[in-house]
């Protein structure tokens, strides 16, 4: 059983460099640690996505639990979406997947109680939402402007500060995904309005400029990737109006390989 305290605490930087060998070794360390995450028997985690734009902020907080089965996962997640940090102005949803059967329920703003559980899928093979970091998403070392390596009682922190060229990569990847969504919509013969929205979305995605991109990872003493976080600024241009958005998103595993975790999953 592994119990993890608060992960994002003050750490002492003992290495800050851009040498090719150090960057390569650090990328490989993160990849290896992310593979170990997939071997965990069970765990509890929190995923947070926060976007701040002009005078408004939106925050998604997911608290999740997962149990590894032979070829699948049982899992539970609770999502809270709040505006401007107002806990009274939020929506809540819960999803649970047990033996490949997925059920969900939700409440809207100003509603005190969640609705009843409803089956959303009877053959779901989904992984726990927002838990795993996909190692193939790690950037090539040529996009790393600076690497910082830190250590404390919880493990090693690797921080990759990305160069401007990496922002161009994200824009191209976004356009590729937007084009894929449009193609799938046309193949499924979606409504004309939906097609138009997806066509306009390609142009919007192509106009995004990324800046100040930082990727941070914490690997504990067991060699498990227990935290991954991305922060970035996005400058969008729509009809001549520019808007800057600061985004922070990441996941922290707070406990794992603890038999008591399985008792926390609801069985509706």
């Amino acid at each position: 059983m592994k119990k993890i305290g608060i992960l994002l605490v003050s750490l002492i930087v003992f290495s800050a460099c851009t040498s090719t060998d150090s960057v390569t070794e650090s990328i490989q360390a993160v990849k290896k640690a992310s593979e170990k995450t997939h071997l965990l028997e069970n765990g509890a985690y929190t995923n947070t996505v926060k976007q701040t734009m002009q005078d408004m902020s939106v925050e998604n907080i997911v608290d999740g639990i997962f149990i590894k089965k032979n070829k699948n996962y049982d899992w539970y997640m609770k999502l809270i979406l709040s505006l401007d940090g107002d806990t009274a102005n939020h929506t809540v949803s819960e999803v649970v997947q047990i033996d490949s059967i997925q059920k969900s329920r939700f409440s809207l703003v100003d509603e005190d109680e969640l609705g009843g559980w409803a089956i959303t899928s009877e053959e779901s093979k989904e992984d726990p939402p927002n838990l795993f970091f996909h190692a193939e998403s790690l950037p090539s070392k040529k996009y790393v402007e600076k690497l910082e390596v830190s250590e404390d009682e919880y493990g090693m922190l690797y921080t990759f500060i990305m160069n401007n060229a990496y922002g161009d990569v994200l824009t191209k990847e976004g356009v590729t995904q937007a084009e894929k969504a449009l193609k799938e919509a046309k193949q499924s013969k979606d409504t004309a309005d939906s097609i138009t929205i997806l066509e306009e979305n390609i142009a919007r995605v192509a106009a995004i400029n990324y800046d100040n991109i930082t990727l941070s990872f914490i690997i504990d003493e067991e060699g498990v990737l227990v935290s991954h976080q991305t922060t970035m600024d996005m400058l969008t241009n729509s009809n001549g109006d520019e808007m800057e958005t600061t985004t922070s998103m990441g996941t922290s595993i707070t406990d794992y390989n603890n038999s008591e975790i399985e008792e926390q999953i609801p069985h509706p």
Side-chain angles (χ1 to χ4, degrees):
M1 183 270 286
K2 175 66 177 178
K3 187 72 174 180
I4 302 169
I6 298 175
L7 296 173
L8 299 180
V9 294
S10 177
L11 298 104
I12 300 175
V13 177
F14 63 80
S15 176
C17 58
T18 55
S19 72
T20 299
D21 289 345
S22 296
V23 172
T24 300
E25 290 173 1
S26 297
I27 289 175
Q28 291 302 317
V30 172
K31 286 183 176 180
K32 184 177 180 180
S34 69
E35 293 169 357
K36 282 197 170 185
T37 306
H38 289 265
L39 301 177
L40 297 179
E41 298 175 3
N42 56 52
Y45 67 98
T46 297
N47 170 267
T48 303
V49 178
K50 184 173 183 179
Q51 289 188 310
T52 303
M53 60 203 84
Q54 296 177 342
D55 298 326
M56 182 181 74
S57 65
V58 180
E59 186 172 26
N60 291 359
I61 300 175
V62 171
D63 287 323
I65 298 169
F66 65 94
I67 303 170
K68 186 176 179 61
K69 300 296 185 177
N70 290 332
K71 296 182 179 180
N72 198 13
Y73 284 91
D74 284 353
W75 53 261
Y76 162 79
M77 61 148 277
K78 180 177 182 179
L79 165 67
I80 298 177
L81 169 63
S82 63
L83 300 176
D84 296 322
D86 184 357
T87 56
N89 184 15
H90 66 271
T91 59
V92 177
S93 64
E94 291 181 294
V95 184
V96 62
Q97 177 176 293
I98 299 175
D99 295 331
S100 300
I101 298 176
Q102 196 174 109
K103 298 180 181 180
S104 63
R105 63 176 182 168
F106 67 95
S107 71
L108 299 176
V109 175
D110 297 328
E111 290 187 1
D112 294 330
E113 296 184 2
L114 290 159
W117 290 97
I119 295 177
T120 53
S121 175
E122 294 184 347
E123 297 181 353
S124 176
K125 303 295 183 183
E126 290 185 24
D127 284 343
N130 307 111
L131 169 61
F132 297 118
F133 178 80
H134 300 288
E136 61 270 20
S137 300
L138 275 170
S140 168
K141 59 188 176 184
K142 67 181 179 181
Y143 297 117
V144 178
E145 182 173 303
K146 184 169 69 171
L147 164 68
E148 295 179 352
V149 183
S150 312
E151 184 179 22
D152 80 340
E153 60 183 306
Y154 299 113
M156 302 291 296
L157 169 65
Y158 297 86
T159 300
F160 300 89
I161 300 171
M162 313 309 293
N163 58 30
N164 292 334
Y166 186 61
D168 297 335
V169 172
L170 294 184
T171 298
K172 291 178 181 178
E173 290 178 349
V175 170
T176 298
Q177 292 301 316
E179 291 174 340
K180 180 181 178 181
L182 175 61
K183 182 179 179 180
E184 292 175 349
K186 288 182 176 179
Q187 290 175 341
S188 60
K189 298 182 180 180
D190 282 6
T191 64
D193 287 343
S194 297
I195 297 297
T196 299
I197 291 173
L198 290 171
E199 289 174 339
E200 294 173 348
N201 186 54
I202 294 175
R204 283 194 293 268
V205 172
I208 297 176
N209 291 313
Y210 295 90
D211 195 16
N212 300 322
I213 305 171
T214 301
L215 310 179
S216 300
F217 307 89
I218 293 180
I219 301 174
D220 72 4
E221 65 271 21
E222 303 294 331
V224 177
L225 181 64
V226 292
S227 178
H228 55 87
Q229 183 172 20
T230 300
T231 60
M232 65 179 70
D233 294 330
M234 296 184 293
L235 183 64
T236 57
N237 191 318
S238 178
N239 299 322
D241 296 327
E242 289 188 344
M243 181 175 69
E244 184 172 325
T245 303
T246 298
T247 300
S248 175
M249 49 192 172
T251 294
S252 292
I253 297 175
T254 55
D255 192 7
Y256 65 76
N257 292 352
N258 183 346
S259 59
E260 296 179 359
I261 289 175
E262 301 188 17
E263 301 172 2
Q264 301 175 36
I265 293 187
H267 288 73

